[in-house]
Amino acid sequence: MRAHYRAEGIVESDLAASPFDQFARWFKDAAAAGLHEPNAMVVSTADAAGRPSSRTVLLKAFDERGFVFFTNYTSRKGRELAENPAISLLFPWHPLARQVIVSGTAERIGRDETAAYFRTRPHGSQLGAWASDQSAPIASRDELERAYEELAARYPEGEQVPAPPHWGGYRVVPEAIEFWQGRLNRLHDRLRYVREGAPEAGQWRVERLAP
Protein backbone atom coordinates (compact mmCIF):
# COMPACT_ATOMS: atom_id res chain seq x y z
CA MET A 1 0.00 0.00 0.00
CA ARG A 2 1.34 3.39 -0.95
CA ALA A 3 -0.10 6.90 -0.91
CA HIS A 4 1.17 9.76 -3.06
CA TYR A 5 1.37 13.03 -1.14
CA ARG A 6 0.55 16.14 -3.13
CA ALA A 7 0.28 18.69 -0.33
CA GLU A 8 1.94 22.06 -0.50
CA GLY A 9 5.27 22.17 1.26
CA ILE A 10 6.64 24.26 4.08
CA VAL A 11 9.60 26.60 3.87
CA GLU A 12 11.66 28.15 6.61
CA SER A 13 10.36 31.65 5.94
CA ASP A 14 6.78 30.53 6.65
CA LEU A 15 7.54 29.14 10.10
CA ALA A 16 6.58 30.91 13.30
CA ALA A 17 9.46 32.14 15.45
CA SER A 18 8.40 29.77 18.24
CA PRO A 19 7.75 26.05 17.69
CA PHE A 20 4.80 26.33 20.07
CA ASP A 21 3.21 28.98 17.85
CA GLN A 22 3.88 26.78 14.82
CA PHE A 23 2.33 23.81 16.63
CA ALA A 24 -0.73 25.93 17.46
CA ARG A 25 -1.13 26.75 13.75
CA TRP A 26 -0.98 23.11 12.69
CA PHE A 27 -3.16 21.95 15.59
CA LYS A 28 -5.80 24.48 14.53
CA ASP A 29 -5.58 23.16 10.96
CA ALA A 30 -6.02 19.58 12.18
CA ALA A 31 -9.08 20.51 14.24
CA ALA A 32 -10.58 22.56 11.40
CA ALA A 33 -10.11 19.63 9.01
CA GLY A 34 -12.33 17.52 11.24
CA LEU A 35 -9.67 15.00 12.23
CA HIS A 36 -10.87 12.60 14.91
CA GLU A 37 -9.15 13.50 18.19
CA PRO A 38 -6.40 15.71 16.74
CA ASN A 39 -4.92 15.83 20.26
CA ALA A 40 -4.21 12.07 20.14
CA MET A 41 -0.47 11.44 20.21
CA VAL A 42 1.80 8.42 20.38
CA VAL A 43 3.85 8.63 23.59
CA SER A 44 7.10 6.66 23.54
CA THR A 45 9.17 5.98 26.64
CA ALA A 46 12.02 3.63 27.56
CA ASP A 47 13.07 1.92 30.74
CA ALA A 48 16.49 2.16 32.37
CA ALA A 49 17.80 -0.56 30.04
CA GLY A 50 16.62 1.31 26.96
CA ARG A 51 13.71 -1.03 26.12
CA PRO A 52 11.05 1.16 24.45
CA SER A 53 7.27 1.14 24.68
CA SER A 54 4.59 3.23 22.97
CA ARG A 55 0.91 4.00 23.44
CA THR A 56 -1.66 6.59 22.37
CA VAL A 57 -2.46 9.32 24.91
CA LEU A 58 -4.45 12.56 24.66
CA LEU A 59 -2.68 15.92 24.84
CA LYS A 60 -4.51 18.10 27.37
CA ALA A 61 -2.60 21.39 27.24
CA PHE A 62 0.42 23.07 25.70
CA ASP A 63 2.16 26.40 26.05
CA GLU A 64 5.71 27.78 26.01
CA ARG A 65 6.61 25.48 28.92
CA GLY A 66 5.75 22.27 27.08
CA PHE A 67 3.08 19.64 26.36
CA VAL A 68 0.89 18.19 29.13
CA PHE A 69 -0.80 14.81 29.46
CA PHE A 70 -2.20 12.86 32.43
CA THR A 71 -1.80 9.24 33.48
CA ASN A 72 -1.40 6.79 36.33
CA TYR A 73 2.08 7.25 37.79
CA THR A 74 2.31 3.51 38.52
CA SER A 75 1.52 2.54 34.91
CA ARG A 76 4.25 1.23 32.63
CA LYS A 77 4.93 4.68 31.19
CA GLY A 78 4.94 6.18 34.66
CA ARG A 79 7.44 3.63 35.91
CA GLU A 80 9.62 4.09 32.85
CA LEU A 81 9.59 7.87 33.17
CA ALA A 82 10.68 7.51 36.81
CA GLU A 83 13.71 5.54 35.58
CA ASN A 84 14.34 7.49 32.38
CA PRO A 85 12.61 10.86 31.76
CA ALA A 86 13.49 10.91 28.04
CA ILE A 87 10.29 10.91 25.98
CA SER A 88 8.97 11.32 22.43
CA LEU A 89 5.54 12.49 21.26
CA LEU A 90 4.20 11.87 17.76
CA PHE A 91 1.10 13.55 16.35
CA PRO A 92 0.08 11.47 13.27
CA TRP A 93 -2.16 13.78 11.26
CA HIS A 94 -2.29 11.47 8.24
CA PRO A 95 -5.23 13.08 6.37
CA LEU A 96 -3.17 16.29 6.17
CA ALA A 97 0.04 14.38 5.31
CA ARG A 98 1.56 15.93 8.43
CA GLN A 99 3.37 14.76 11.51
CA VAL A 100 4.79 16.59 14.50
CA ILE A 101 7.49 14.88 16.55
CA VAL A 102 8.45 16.24 19.97
CA SER A 103 11.63 15.02 21.69
CA GLY A 104 12.47 16.01 25.23
CA THR A 105 12.12 15.12 28.89
CA ALA A 106 9.05 14.63 31.06
CA GLU A 107 8.53 16.13 34.50
CA ARG A 108 5.59 15.83 36.86
CA ILE A 109 3.36 18.88 37.16
CA GLY A 110 2.24 20.22 40.54
CA ARG A 111 -0.60 18.61 42.50
CA ASP A 112 -2.67 21.81 42.35
CA GLU A 113 -2.55 21.74 38.55
CA THR A 114 -3.41 18.04 38.54
CA ALA A 115 -6.35 18.53 40.92
CA ALA A 116 -7.68 21.45 38.86
CA TYR A 117 -7.67 19.34 35.71
CA PHE A 118 -9.10 16.27 37.48
CA ARG A 119 -12.16 18.29 38.49
CA THR A 120 -12.91 19.00 34.81
CA ARG A 121 -13.05 15.29 33.89
CA PRO A 122 -16.42 13.55 33.50
CA HIS A 123 -17.56 11.79 36.68
CA GLY A 124 -17.08 8.36 35.12
CA SER A 125 -13.52 9.18 34.10
CA GLN A 126 -12.75 10.33 37.63
CA LEU A 127 -13.97 7.00 39.00
CA GLY A 128 -12.03 5.14 36.33
CA ALA A 129 -8.78 6.73 37.49
CA TRP A 130 -9.36 5.11 40.88
CA ALA A 131 -10.75 1.80 39.62
CA SER A 132 -7.93 0.93 37.23
CA ASP A 133 -4.52 -0.13 38.47
CA GLN A 134 -3.20 0.77 35.05
CA SER A 135 -0.85 -1.72 33.35
CA ALA A 136 -1.20 -4.27 36.20
CA PRO A 137 -2.53 -7.77 35.34
CA ILE A 138 -6.13 -8.42 36.44
CA ALA A 139 -8.07 -11.67 36.67
CA SER A 140 -11.04 -10.60 34.55
CA ARG A 141 -13.14 -7.76 33.18
CA ASP A 142 -15.58 -8.43 36.05
CA GLU A 143 -12.87 -7.49 38.58
CA LEU A 144 -12.47 -4.10 36.95
CA GLU A 145 -16.20 -3.46 36.74
CA ARG A 146 -16.76 -4.47 40.37
CA ALA A 147 -14.11 -1.98 41.47
CA TYR A 148 -15.82 0.72 39.41
CA GLU A 149 -19.26 -0.11 40.83
CA GLU A 150 -17.94 0.09 44.40
CA LEU A 151 -16.49 3.51 43.69
CA ALA A 152 -19.71 4.66 42.02
CA ALA A 153 -21.58 3.74 45.23
CA ARG A 154 -19.04 5.59 47.36
CA TYR A 155 -18.97 8.68 45.11
CA PRO A 156 -22.38 9.03 43.43
CA GLU A 157 -22.93 11.47 40.58
CA GLY A 158 -22.62 15.05 41.83
CA GLU A 159 -20.28 14.21 44.70
CA GLN A 160 -16.68 15.43 44.43
CA VAL A 161 -14.14 12.72 43.72
CA PRO A 162 -10.61 13.45 45.00
CA ALA A 163 -7.71 13.14 42.57
CA PRO A 164 -5.87 9.85 43.25
CA PRO A 165 -2.38 10.36 44.70
CA HIS A 166 -1.00 7.90 42.12
CA TRP A 167 -2.48 9.84 39.19
CA GLY A 168 -1.38 13.12 37.68
CA GLY A 169 0.15 15.09 34.89
CA TYR A 170 3.45 15.22 33.07
CA ARG A 171 4.83 18.18 31.19
CA VAL A 172 7.07 17.29 28.26
CA VAL A 173 9.78 19.95 28.00
CA PRO A 174 10.98 19.75 24.40
CA GLU A 175 14.55 19.79 23.20
CA ALA A 176 13.49 19.48 19.55
CA ILE A 177 10.20 19.70 17.63
CA GLU A 178 10.02 18.48 14.04
CA PHE A 179 7.32 19.48 11.58
CA TRP A 180 6.94 16.93 8.77
CA GLN A 181 4.95 17.62 5.61
CA GLY A 182 4.47 14.88 3.01
CA ARG A 183 5.49 15.80 -0.54
CA LEU A 184 5.43 14.17 -3.96
CA ASN A 185 8.01 11.44 -4.75
CA ARG A 186 8.83 11.05 -1.06
CA LEU A 187 10.73 14.34 -1.09
CA HIS A 188 9.07 15.35 2.15
CA ASP A 189 9.69 18.60 4.00
CA ARG A 190 11.14 18.14 7.50
CA LEU A 191 11.86 21.29 9.49
CA ARG A 192 13.09 20.87 13.05
CA TYR A 193 13.34 23.45 15.82
CA VAL A 194 16.25 22.70 18.16
CA ARG A 195 16.48 24.36 21.55
CA GLU A 196 19.55 26.46 22.27
CA GLY A 197 20.33 27.23 25.89
CA ALA A 198 18.04 26.87 28.90
CA PRO A 199 14.29 26.34 28.35
CA GLU A 200 13.43 29.67 29.93
CA ALA A 201 15.57 31.47 27.33
CA GLY A 202 13.16 30.49 24.55
CA GLN A 203 15.90 30.35 21.93
CA TRP A 204 15.53 28.01 18.95
CA ARG A 205 17.32 27.35 15.70
CA VAL A 206 15.68 25.72 12.68
CA GLU A 207 17.29 23.04 10.55
CA ARG A 208 16.03 21.22 7.47
CA LEU A 209 16.37 17.45 7.44
CA ALA A 210 16.64 15.21 4.38
CA PRO A 211 13.53 13.07 3.92
PDB file of all heavy atoms in Angstrom, residues 8 12 14 25 32 34 56 61 65 88 103 113 117 120 176 184 192-194 199 206 210:
ATOM      1  N   GLU A   8       0.967  20.991  -0.391  1.00  0.00           N
ATOM      2  CA  GLU A   8       1.942  22.065  -0.498  1.00  0.00           C
ATOM      3  C   GLU A   8       2.986  21.894   0.595  1.00  0.00           C
ATOM      4  O   GLU A   8       2.712  21.378   1.666  1.00  0.00           O
ATOM      5  CB  GLU A   8       1.256  23.425  -0.347  1.00  0.00           C
ATOM      6  CG  GLU A   8       0.295  23.768  -1.477  1.00  0.00           C
ATOM      7  CD  GLU A   8      -0.302  25.137  -1.306  1.00  0.00           C
ATOM      8  OE1 GLU A   8       0.078  25.836  -0.336  1.00  0.00           O
ATOM      9  OE2 GLU A   8      -1.159  25.513  -2.114  1.00  0.00           O
ATOM     10  N   GLU A  12      11.205  27.538   5.376  1.00  0.00           N
ATOM     11  CA  GLU A  12      11.661  28.153   6.614  1.00  0.00           C
ATOM     12  C   GLU A  12      11.039  29.528   6.846  1.00  0.00           C
ATOM     13  O   GLU A  12      10.693  29.875   7.986  1.00  0.00           O
ATOM     14  CB  GLU A  12      13.180  28.254   6.608  1.00  0.00           C
ATOM     15  CG  GLU A  12      13.905  26.914   6.750  1.00  0.00           C
ATOM     16  CD  GLU A  12      14.026  26.142   5.439  1.00  0.00           C
ATOM     17  OE1 GLU A  12      13.299  26.464   4.460  1.00  0.00           O
ATOM     18  OE2 GLU A  12      14.830  25.192   5.394  1.00  0.00           O
ATOM     19  N   ASP A  14       8.183  30.579   6.241  1.00  0.00           N
ATOM     20  CA  ASP A  14       6.778  30.531   6.648  1.00  0.00           C
ATOM     21  C   ASP A  14       6.593  30.109   8.099  1.00  0.00           C
ATOM     22  O   ASP A  14       5.491  30.193   8.630  1.00  0.00           O
ATOM     23  CB  ASP A  14       6.005  29.549   5.755  1.00  0.00           C
ATOM     24  CG  ASP A  14       5.834  30.076   4.336  1.00  0.00           C
ATOM     25  OD1 ASP A  14       5.924  31.304   4.140  1.00  0.00           O
ATOM     26  OD2 ASP A  14       5.614  29.251   3.432  1.00  0.00           O
ATOM     27  N   ARG A  25      -0.606  26.592  15.110  1.00  0.00           N
ATOM     28  CA  ARG A  25      -1.135  26.753  13.747  1.00  0.00           C
ATOM     29  C   ARG A  25      -1.564  25.409  13.178  1.00  0.00           C
ATOM     30  O   ARG A  25      -2.673  25.269  12.664  1.00  0.00           O
ATOM     31  CB  ARG A  25      -0.070  27.369  12.829  1.00  0.00           C
ATOM     32  CG  ARG A  25       0.286  28.799  13.091  1.00  0.00           C
ATOM     33  CD  ARG A  25       1.374  29.224  12.106  1.00  0.00           C
ATOM     34  NE  ARG A  25       1.866  30.579  12.346  1.00  0.00           N
ATOM     35  CZ  ARG A  25       2.867  31.133  11.670  1.00  0.00           C
ATOM     36  NH1 ARG A  25       3.474  30.438  10.706  1.00  0.00           N
ATOM     37  NH2 ARG A  25       3.256  32.360  11.937  1.00  0.00           N
ATOM     38  N   ALA A  32      -9.689  22.007  12.414  1.00  0.00           N
ATOM     39  CA  ALA A  32     -10.583  22.559  11.399  1.00  0.00           C
ATOM     40  C   ALA A  32     -10.868  21.549  10.292  1.00  0.00           C
ATOM     41  O   ALA A  32     -11.940  21.583   9.669  1.00  0.00           O
ATOM     42  CB  ALA A  32      -9.975  23.830  10.805  1.00  0.00           C
ATOM     43  N   GLY A  34     -11.430  18.532  10.728  1.00  0.00           N
ATOM     44  CA  GLY A  34     -12.335  17.520  11.235  1.00  0.00           C
ATOM     45  C   GLY A  34     -11.672  16.206  11.593  1.00  0.00           C
ATOM     46  O   GLY A  34     -12.350  15.171  11.680  1.00  0.00           O
ATOM     47  N   THR A  56      -0.992   5.355  22.760  1.00  0.00           N
ATOM     48  CA  THR A  56      -1.665   6.588  22.375  1.00  0.00           C
ATOM     49  C   THR A  56      -2.267   7.249  23.612  1.00  0.00           C
ATOM     50  O   THR A  56      -2.935   6.596  24.409  1.00  0.00           O
ATOM     51  CB  THR A  56      -2.769   6.323  21.341  1.00  0.00           C
ATOM     52  OG1 THR A  56      -2.201   5.681  20.201  1.00  0.00           O
ATOM     53  CG2 THR A  56      -3.414   7.623  20.902  1.00  0.00           C
ATOM     54  N   ALA A  61      -2.958  19.974  27.218  1.00  0.00           N
ATOM     55  CA  ALA A  61      -2.601  21.389  27.245  1.00  0.00           C
ATOM     56  C   ALA A  61      -1.211  21.554  26.641  1.00  0.00           C
ATOM     57  O   ALA A  61      -0.409  20.612  26.633  1.00  0.00           O
ATOM     58  CB  ALA A  61      -2.615  21.935  28.679  1.00  0.00           C
ATOM     59  N   ARG A  65       5.887  26.357  27.984  1.00  0.00           N
ATOM     60  CA  ARG A  65       6.610  25.483  28.919  1.00  0.00           C
ATOM     61  C   ARG A  65       6.676  24.047  28.425  1.00  0.00           C
ATOM     62  O   ARG A  65       7.554  23.290  28.842  1.00  0.00           O
ATOM     63  CB  ARG A  65       5.947  25.522  30.292  1.00  0.00           C
ATOM     64  CG  ARG A  65       5.976  26.880  30.977  1.00  0.00           C
ATOM     65  CD  ARG A  65       5.144  26.844  32.248  1.00  0.00           C
ATOM     66  NE  ARG A  65       3.731  26.598  31.944  1.00  0.00           N
ATOM     67  CZ  ARG A  65       2.808  26.297  32.851  1.00  0.00           C
ATOM     68  NH1 ARG A  65       3.163  26.179  34.130  1.00  0.00           N
ATOM     69  NH2 ARG A  65       1.549  26.104  32.506  1.00  0.00           N
ATOM     70  N   SER A  88       9.288  10.838  23.775  1.00  0.00           N
ATOM     71  CA  SER A  88       8.974  11.322  22.432  1.00  0.00           C
ATOM     72  C   SER A  88       7.468  11.335  22.255  1.00  0.00           C
ATOM     73  O   SER A  88       6.772  10.414  22.706  1.00  0.00           O
ATOM     74  CB  SER A  88       9.620  10.428  21.371  1.00  0.00           C
ATOM     75  OG  SER A  88       9.235  10.832  20.067  1.00  0.00           O
ATOM     76  N   SER A 103      10.645  15.772  20.919  1.00  0.00           N
ATOM     77  CA  SER A 103      11.626  15.017  21.689  1.00  0.00           C
ATOM     78  C   SER A 103      12.055  15.856  22.878  1.00  0.00           C
ATOM     79  O   SER A 103      12.359  17.046  22.732  1.00  0.00           O
ATOM     80  CB  SER A 103      12.853  14.690  20.828  1.00  0.00           C
ATOM     81  OG  SER A 103      12.473  13.990  19.652  1.00  0.00           O
ATOM     82  N   GLU A 113      -2.196  21.770  39.974  1.00  0.00           N
ATOM     83  CA  GLU A 113      -2.549  21.745  38.549  1.00  0.00           C
ATOM     84  C   GLU A 113      -3.251  20.435  38.199  1.00  0.00           C
ATOM     85  O   GLU A 113      -4.220  20.421  37.434  1.00  0.00           O
ATOM     86  CB  GLU A 113      -1.284  21.929  37.706  1.00  0.00           C
ATOM     87  CG  GLU A 113      -1.547  22.189  36.238  1.00  0.00           C
ATOM     88  CD  GLU A 113      -0.282  22.522  35.456  1.00  0.00           C
ATOM     89  OE1 GLU A 113       0.778  22.717  36.082  1.00  0.00           O
ATOM     90  OE2 GLU A 113      -0.363  22.573  34.210  1.00  0.00           O
ATOM     91  N   TYR A 117      -7.252  20.043  36.912  1.00  0.00           N
ATOM     92  CA  TYR A 117      -7.671  19.341  35.705  1.00  0.00           C
ATOM     93  C   TYR A 117      -8.604  18.181  36.044  1.00  0.00           C
ATOM     94  O   TYR A 117      -9.609  17.951  35.360  1.00  0.00           O
ATOM     95  CB  TYR A 117      -6.462  18.806  34.926  1.00  0.00           C
ATOM     96  CG  TYR A 117      -6.901  17.854  33.837  1.00  0.00           C
ATOM     97  CD1 TYR A 117      -7.546  18.326  32.708  1.00  0.00           C
ATOM     98  CD2 TYR A 117      -6.741  16.478  33.992  1.00  0.00           C
ATOM     99  CE1 TYR A 117      -8.013  17.453  31.743  1.00  0.00           C
ATOM    100  CE2 TYR A 117      -7.200  15.600  33.030  1.00  0.00           C
ATOM    101  CZ  TYR A 117      -7.831  16.097  31.900  1.00  0.00           C
ATOM    102  OH  TYR A 117      -8.314  15.219  30.956  1.00  0.00           O
ATOM    103  N   THR A 120     -12.225  18.750  36.083  1.00  0.00           N
ATOM    104  CA  THR A 120     -12.905  18.996  34.808  1.00  0.00           C
ATOM    105  C   THR A 120     -13.270  17.702  34.086  1.00  0.00           C
ATOM    106  O   THR A 120     -14.013  17.733  33.103  1.00  0.00           O
ATOM    107  CB  THR A 120     -12.019  19.847  33.864  1.00  0.00           C
ATOM    108  OG1 THR A 120     -10.911  19.059  33.394  1.00  0.00           O
ATOM    109  CG2 THR A 120     -11.518  21.100  34.563  1.00  0.00           C
ATOM    110  N   ALA A 176      13.627  19.333  20.994  1.00  0.00           N
ATOM    111  CA  ALA A 176      13.489  19.484  19.552  1.00  0.00           C
ATOM    112  C   ALA A 176      12.048  19.195  19.164  1.00  0.00           C
ATOM    113  O   ALA A 176      11.392  18.343  19.768  1.00  0.00           O
ATOM    114  CB  ALA A 176      14.429  18.547  18.816  1.00  0.00           C
ATOM    115  N   LEU A 184       5.408  15.093  -2.835  1.00  0.00           N
ATOM    116  CA  LEU A 184       5.435  14.171  -3.959  1.00  0.00           C
ATOM    117  C   LEU A 184       6.802  13.489  -4.079  1.00  0.00           C
ATOM    118  O   LEU A 184       7.832  14.093  -3.775  1.00  0.00           O
ATOM    119  CB  LEU A 184       5.113  14.941  -5.255  1.00  0.00           C
ATOM    120  CG  LEU A 184       4.858  14.114  -6.518  1.00  0.00           C
ATOM    121  CD1 LEU A 184       3.616  13.242  -6.348  1.00  0.00           C
ATOM    122  CD2 LEU A 184       4.692  15.048  -7.715  1.00  0.00           C
ATOM    123  N   ARG A 192      12.976  21.179  11.625  1.00  0.00           N
ATOM    124  CA  ARG A 192      13.091  20.874  13.048  1.00  0.00           C
ATOM    125  C   ARG A 192      13.625  22.071  13.819  1.00  0.00           C
ATOM    126  O   ARG A 192      14.658  22.644  13.484  1.00  0.00           O
ATOM    127  CB  ARG A 192      14.023  19.676  13.257  1.00  0.00           C
ATOM    128  CG  ARG A 192      14.194  19.282  14.714  1.00  0.00           C
ATOM    129  CD  ARG A 192      14.883  17.934  14.849  1.00  0.00           C
ATOM    130  NE  ARG A 192      16.258  17.963  14.338  1.00  0.00           N
ATOM    131  CZ  ARG A 192      17.040  16.895  14.242  1.00  0.00           C
ATOM    132  NH1 ARG A 192      16.568  15.706  14.597  1.00  0.00           N
ATOM    133  NH2 ARG A 192      18.270  17.000  13.782  1.00  0.00           N
ATOM    134  N   TYR A 193      12.870  22.445  14.861  1.00  0.00           N
ATOM    135  CA  TYR A 193      13.338  23.453  15.815  1.00  0.00           C
ATOM    136  C   TYR A 193      14.195  22.722  16.859  1.00  0.00           C
ATOM    137  O   TYR A 193      13.774  21.707  17.419  1.00  0.00           O
ATOM    138  CB  TYR A 193      12.174  24.099  16.545  1.00  0.00           C
ATOM    139  CG  TYR A 193      11.256  24.989  15.732  1.00  0.00           C
ATOM    140  CD1 TYR A 193      10.273  24.436  14.908  1.00  0.00           C
ATOM    141  CD2 TYR A 193      11.335  26.374  15.840  1.00  0.00           C
ATOM    142  CE1 TYR A 193       9.396  25.244  14.209  1.00  0.00           C
ATOM    143  CE2 TYR A 193      10.457  27.198  15.144  1.00  0.00           C
ATOM    144  CZ  TYR A 193       9.496  26.631  14.319  1.00  0.00           C
ATOM    145  OH  TYR A 193       8.618  27.441  13.631  1.00  0.00           O
ATOM    146  N   VAL A 194      15.366  23.268  17.149  1.00  0.00           N
ATOM    147  CA  VAL A 194      16.250  22.699  18.158  1.00  0.00           C
ATOM    148  C   VAL A 194      16.515  23.765  19.210  1.00  0.00           C
ATOM    149  O   VAL A 194      16.901  24.894  18.891  1.00  0.00           O
ATOM    150  CB  VAL A 194      17.581  22.226  17.537  1.00  0.00           C
ATOM    151  CG1 VAL A 194      18.500  21.653  18.612  1.00  0.00           C
ATOM    152  CG2 VAL A 194      17.326  21.196  16.445  1.00  0.00           C
ATOM    153  N   PRO A 199      15.671  26.220  28.829  1.00  0.00           N
ATOM    154  CA  PRO A 199      14.293  26.337  28.353  1.00  0.00           C
ATOM    155  C   PRO A 199      13.696  27.725  28.542  1.00  0.00           C
ATOM    156  O   PRO A 199      12.958  28.208  27.677  1.00  0.00           O
ATOM    157  CB  PRO A 199      13.545  25.289  29.192  1.00  0.00           C
ATOM    158  CG  PRO A 199      14.584  24.270  29.530  1.00  0.00           C
ATOM    159  CD  PRO A 199      15.854  25.057  29.721  1.00  0.00           C
ATOM    160  N   VAL A 206      16.446  26.594  13.581  1.00  0.00           N
ATOM    161  CA  VAL A 206      15.680  25.717  12.682  1.00  0.00           C
ATOM    162  C   VAL A 206      16.641  25.075  11.707  1.00  0.00           C
ATOM    163  O   VAL A 206      17.510  25.734  11.126  1.00  0.00           O
ATOM    164  CB  VAL A 206      14.597  26.516  11.921  1.00  0.00           C
ATOM    165  CG1 VAL A 206      13.906  25.616  10.906  1.00  0.00           C
ATOM    166  CG2 VAL A 206      13.588  27.101  12.899  1.00  0.00           C
ATOM    167  N   ALA A 210      16.933  15.967   5.595  1.00  0.00           N
ATOM    168  CA  ALA A 210      16.644  15.215   4.380  1.00  0.00           C
ATOM    169  C   ALA A 210      15.530  14.219   4.659  1.00  0.00           C
ATOM    170  O   ALA A 210      15.448  13.648   5.752  1.00  0.00           O
ATOM    171  CB  ALA A 210      17.890  14.485   3.895  1.00  0.00           C
TER     172      ALA A 210
END
